[in-house]
């Protein structure tokens, strides 16, 4: 036993792993700490305070931030719902639809939004909307986000579906359940953790998107990332660090939630089998 | 079909009669709002530019010509190869390549270390690596800018402990962009390599060790060839988004660190305002990415046979 461990173990790999985590978390933690800085300067430390958090909600730019937050969250919720529904249907068609001609092409089309570089998607979408005369604004952002979110919702849902034994659905079919009932009462209760995980990831992807939104938002409409970008272009300000900290903690909370839902789903699945 | 044969061995087909209707929404939405736009972008790259953005619907090779050749101020001189844009592409490829190497140097040992942990702690380590990916890329890039700027915490710390006498000037250099790309896509390198190492059978290492191979030899000659697909997958997941990155070069770099992403953005949002040229630059970027992806698919097929 001891020997196997020794062969597996390479000296220094643990230190590099720690370095990797320091690199990944260091900058985020430092911004979090400085967001509580009481000083107007972002360089000097002036004691701990919540003034910049208060500033986000009541300060000069609060109206802008509120509008941006409203846009971001309403777009993210709608894009996530629509893309999750589309992705769930597609996952069932792909995983439970048997072998068919064009299965690979279909998979390639579903993963296209991930394959194409984001900036190319942004350019193509802008050109498309302006050619067909689609007015740039909240609706154009919603459409683009929905398309972009589909593969991100599809991946956890299809992974989940692949892990489910088809015998449950076959049993339901043997008991004369129609396809809808088989989905609603048999498949859905087992695959919901995958669907929730897909929904949450789609939600975060939409909430975080900057590049596509920046291209097609049109004049006067901001989401949180475009508002933050616009502000940062003139220099990093303490209120932006507070806003970033809030958004960052929100994303981490959602990912953690999605992780535990997935965990719970796995545990359920294991007891069922 | 026997029940309990496992979902991998048999293809379930319960929903095959309605398959078409289940897949249709995704085909229509992605086809109409992404595939058609990409084709339209290809068309745009062959059109004539109109001042202040937009196009005139007349066939023209001007965008690609402008990309490659210099024909003098009035466009009547003999074409000379122009390096301005080619250099931007070369720089982007080098930056993306450098970021990939850096990610590999840190990512491989990390992935290997996590994959050799006991199963219970593996998920926690993996979770720690994944979380930063889901944090807004813009916020992460801004955090990096905050950290490495001339009067930033990193310089203050180095000055305080006396390692340097004057602040290091990192921001707005190629190195800063490199660091930003590395920081942005590091988790992408760890995850696929982890998946490969996890499947690696350590009996191979034991056998090699019994044959008096040193640990370094085992790593190079036994482990690396087996986990190569994970390394290739990770490298592509870092290289491709780095190539078209916009945020890292824009926020951490300066005028001298212009990359493809910034060049494209400038045509649509910035001062350049040349839509067909932006479309052509996007097409060239997309072609580069497709070449890389095709190389990946071929490498994967080769490994499977």
């Amino acid at each position: 036993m001891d020997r196997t461990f020794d062969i597996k173990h390479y000296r220094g790999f643990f230190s590099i792993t720690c370095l990797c985590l320091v690199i990944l978390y260091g900058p985020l933690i430092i911004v979090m700490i400085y967001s509580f800085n009481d000083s107007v300067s972002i360089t000097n430390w002036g004691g701990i305070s919540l003034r910049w958090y208060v500033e986000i909600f009541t300060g000069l730019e609060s109206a802008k931030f509120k509008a941006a937050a409203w846009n971001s969250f309403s777009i993210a919720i709608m894009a996530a719902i629509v893309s999750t529904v589309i992705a769930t249907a597609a996952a069932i068609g792909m995983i439970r639809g048997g072998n068919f001609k064009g299965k690979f092409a279909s998979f390639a089309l579903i993963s296209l939004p991930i394959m194409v570089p984001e900036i190319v998607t942004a350019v193509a979408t802008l050109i498309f909307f302006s050619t067909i005369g689609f007015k740039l604004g909240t609706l154009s952002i919603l459409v683009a986000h929905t398309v972009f979110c589909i593969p991100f919702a599809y991946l956890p849902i299809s992974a989940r579906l692949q892990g489910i034994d088809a015998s449950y659905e076959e049993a339901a079919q043997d008991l004369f359940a129609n396809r809808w009932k088989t989905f609603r009462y048999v498949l859905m209760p087992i695959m919901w953790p995958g669907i929730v995980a897909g929904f949450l990831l789609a939600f975060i992807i939409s909430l975080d998107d900057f590049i596509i939104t920046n291209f097609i938002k049109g004049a006067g409409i901001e989401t949180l990332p475009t508002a933050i970008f616009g502000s940062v272009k003139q220099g990093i300000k303490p209120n932006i660090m507070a806003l970033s900290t809030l958004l960052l903690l929100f994303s981490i909370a959602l990912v953690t939630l999605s992780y535990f839902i997935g965990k719970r789903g796995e545990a359920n699945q294991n007891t069922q089998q | 079909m026997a029940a309990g044969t496992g979902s991998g061995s048999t293809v379930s087909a319960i929903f095959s009669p309605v398959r078409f209707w289940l897949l249709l929404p995704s085909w229509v939405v992605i086809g109409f709002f992404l595939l058609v736009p990409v084709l339209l972008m290809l068309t745009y790259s062959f059109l004539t530019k109109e001042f202040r953005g937009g196009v005139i619907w007349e066939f023209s090779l001007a965008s690609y010509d402008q990309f490659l050749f210099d024909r003098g101020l009035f466009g009547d001189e003999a074409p000379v190869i122009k390096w301005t844009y080619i250099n931007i592409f070369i720089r982007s490829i080098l930056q993306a390549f450098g970021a990939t190497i850096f990610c590999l140097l840190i990512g491989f040992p990390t992935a290997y270390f996590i994959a050799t942990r006991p199963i219970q702690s593996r998920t926690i380590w993996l979770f720690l690596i994944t979380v930063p990916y889901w944090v807004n890329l813009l916020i992460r890039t801004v955090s990096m800018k905050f950290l490495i700027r001339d009067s930033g915490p990193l310089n203050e710390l180095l000055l305080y402990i006396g390692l340097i006498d004057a602040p290091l000037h990192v921001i707005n250099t190629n190195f800063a962009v490199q660091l930003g790309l590395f920081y942005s896509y590091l988790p992408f390198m760890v995850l696929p390599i982890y998946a490969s190492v996890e499947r690696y059978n350590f009996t191979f290492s034991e056998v090699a060790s019994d044959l008096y191979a040193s640990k370094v030899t085992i790593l190079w000659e036994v482990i690396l060839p087996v986990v190569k697909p994970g390394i290739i997958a990770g490298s592509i997941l870092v290289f491709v988004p780095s190539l078209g990155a916009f945020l890292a070069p824009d926020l951490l770099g300066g005028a001298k660190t212009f990359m493809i992403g910034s060049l494209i953005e400038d045509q649509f949002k910035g001062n350049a305002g040349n839509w067909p040229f932006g479309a052509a630059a996007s097409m060239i970027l997309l072609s580069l990415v497709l070449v890389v992806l095709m190389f990946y698919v071929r490498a994967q097929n080769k490994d499977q046979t």
Side-chain angles (χ1 to χ4, degrees):
Chain A
M1 231 10 237
D2 248 32
R3 243 198 85 206
T4 4
F5 179 70
D6 196 33
I7 284 177
K8 281 186 182 180
H9 188 77
Y10 280 88
R11 192 184 295 178
F13 278 21
F14 173 65
S15 325
I16 296 179
T17 307
C18 293
L19 177 69
C20 180
L21 289 176
V22 169
I23 294 168
L24 286 175
Y25 287 92
L28 300 178
I29 291 170
I30 284 168
V31 163
M32 271 191 212
I33 294 172
Y34 272 84
S35 72
F36 294 105
N37 185 1
D38 193 39
S39 164
V40 183
S41 139
I42 55 166
T43 312
N44 302 320
W45 184 256
I48 295 175
S49 96
L50 285 173
R51 66 181 282 196
W52 301 114
Y53 288 90
V54 176
E55 160 101 14
I56 300 174
F57 293 99
T58 57
L60 278 175
E61 292 179 293
S62 63
K64 188 178 98 182
F65 291 149
K66 275 177 195 158
W70 166 251
N71 284 338
S72 272
F73 280 91
S74 53
I75 290 171
I77 285 178
M78 285 191 279
I81 291 175
V82 179
S83 59
T84 307
V85 170
I86 293 174
T88 306
I92 296 174
M94 287 289 286
I95 311 289
R96 291 293 201 254
N99 277 325
F100 59 96
K101 220 173 111 188
K103 195 170 186 173
F104 181 76
S106 185
F107 179 72
L109 190 62
I110 292 169
S111 5
L112 193 65
I114 297 189
M115 309 279 220
V116 176
E118 221 184 321
I119 196 143
V120 176
T121 305
V123 167
T125 312
L126 173 67
I127 288 177
F128 177 70
F129 281 147
S130 79
T131 307
I132 63 170
F134 197 98
K135 193 173 173 296
L136 295 181
T138 337
L139 195 58
S140 65
I141 303 175
L142 177 61
V143 171
H145 280 201
T146 304
V147 176
F148 191 59
C149 287
I150 290 174
F152 288 94
Y154 176 84
L155 290 175
I157 297 173
S158 68
R160 176 78 194 167
L161 197 52
Q162 251 159 352
I164 298 173
D165 201 307
S167 48
Y168 298 114
E169 298 139 71
E170 278 153 18
Q173 296 264 296
D174 290 345
L175 296 168
F176 302 106
N178 62 24
R179 258 178 232 105
W180 168 249
K181 282 191 171 153
T182 307
F183 169 70
R184 175 68 189 78
Y185 296 107
V186 179
L187 206 49
M188 181 73 175
I190 316 180
M191 70 184 283
W192 76 266
I195 298 179
V196 174
F199 172 84
L200 289 176
L201 297 186
F203 184 83
I204 299 175
I205 289 289
S206 165
L207 195 66
D208 284 355
D209 177 73
F210 167 73
I211 305 232
I212 297 174
T213 314
N214 181 43
F215 265 69
I216 56 162
K217 68 187 172 65
I221 297 195
E222 301 282 356
T223 62
L224 282 174
T226 62
I228 291 175
F229 182 79
S231 192
V232 166
K233 280 305 243 184
Q234 292 143 25
I236 303 175
K237 280 175 288 182
N239 61 344
I240 289 301
M241 290 202 277
L243 184 61
S244 299
T245 303
L246 288 181
L247 204 52
L248 189 155
L249 291 176
F250 184 76
S251 297
I252 292 178
L254 277 193
V255 176
T256 314
L257 184 66
S258 132
Y259 172 76
F260 281 110
I261 289 172
K263 268 274 194 222
R264 207 181 133 191
E266 262 169 45
N268 283 344
Q269 202 176 7
N270 290 340
T271 50
Q272 273 163 2
Q273 278 173 357
Chain B
M1 187 169 71
T5 42
S7 35
S9 54
T10 46
V11 177
S12 170
I14 294 166
F15 290 92
S16 61
V18 286
R19 181 180 62 219
F20 177 79
W21 299 106
L22 288 169
L23 289 169
L24 190 66
S26 56
W27 291 340
V28 170
V29 170
I30 298 176
F32 188 68
F33 290 108
L34 187 57
L35 197 58
V36 170
V38 168
L39 295 175
L40 190 64
M41 183 180 80
L42 175 65
T43 317
Y44 256 58
S45 71
F46 291 107
L47 295 178
T48 310
K49 81 161 179 175
E50 192 176 49
F51 294 100
R52 298 166 183 270
V55 284
I56 301 165
W57 284 82
E58 259 169 49
F59 177 82
S60 150
L61 283 172
S63 302
Y64 292 95
D65 189 79
Q66 182 191 348
F67 188 89
L68 290 173
F69 301 114
D70 196 353
R71 291 173 190 273
L73 196 56
F74 302 101
D76 50 1
E77 292 166 32
V80 184
I81 295 259
K82 180 167 60 180
W83 290 99
T84 324
Y85 301 124
I86 299 173
N87 277 341
I88 290 176
F89 269 70
I90 292 174
R91 185 189 300 130
S92 302
I93 291 170
L94 290 178
Q95 287 277 30
F97 187 72
T100 310
I101 298 290
F102 275 130
C103 284
L104 194 57
L105 288 178
I106 299 283
F108 178 81
T110 305
Y112 183 92
F113 176 78
I114 296 175
T116 50
R117 291 301 91 200
I119 292 186
Q120 299 92 319
S121 56
R122 261 183 231 170
T123 32
I124 299 168
W125 283 104
L126 268 188
F127 179 69
L128 286 174
I129 299 286
T130 336
V131 165
Y133 166 68
W134 295 109
V135 171
N136 197 320
L137 184 59
L138 170 66
I139 292 180
R140 295 174 61 207
T141 313
V142 171
S143 308
M144 187 51 94
K145 186 183 173 103
F146 180 76
L147 181 69
I148 63 171
R149 71 192 204 285
D150 289 352
S151 56
L154 194 62
N155 267 320
E156 299 241 313
L157 179 75
L158 291 176
L159 284 171
Y160 181 78
I161 57 175
L163 223 60
I164 50 172
D165 298 326
L168 289 176
H169 182 70
V170 178
I171 200 86
N172 296 348
T173 62
N174 277 318
F175 178 70
V177 178
Q178 184 87 99
L179 194 65
L181 293 175
F182 160 74
Y183 176 56
S184 303
Y185 304 116
L186 181 56
F188 286 173
M189 184 60 93
V190 177
L191 299 177
I193 297 182
Y194 161 80
S196 298
V197 178
E198 200 198 17
R199 279 192 302 253
Y200 171 71
N201 183 350
F202 276 95
T203 339
F204 290 140
S205 297
E206 280 174 48
V207 172
S209 167
D210 289 344
L211 297 168
Y212 302 104
S214 72
K215 287 183 82 169
V216 177
T217 317
I218 295 176
L219 185 65
W220 273 105
E221 307 278 337
V222 185
I223 302 178
L224 276 186
V226 178
V227 302
K228 206 178 81 188
I231 294 177
I232 296 177
S235 304
I236 284 176
L237 286 178
V238 173
F239 185 81
V240 166
S242 299
L243 199 58
F246 168 71
L247 284 171
D250 192 71
L251 289 173
L252 302 172
K256 285 182 182 165
T257 59
F258 227 55
M259 282 176 60
I260 306 176
S262 338
L263 176 70
I264 293 173
E265 207 252 9
D266 202 35
Q267 309 305 318
F268 294 93
K269 304 283 294 177
N271 302 322
N274 186 341
W275 283 34
F277 183 67
S282 304
M283 271 325 292
I284 298 170
L285 169 61
L286 185 59
S287 320
L288 274 176
V289 168
L290 289 181
V291 167
V292 174
L293 289 179
M294 256 153 58
F295 162 77
Y296 171 60
V297 171
R298 279 189 61 177
Q300 247 195 347
N301 288 343
K302 220 192 253 172
D303 275 327
Q304 275 165 6
T305 47

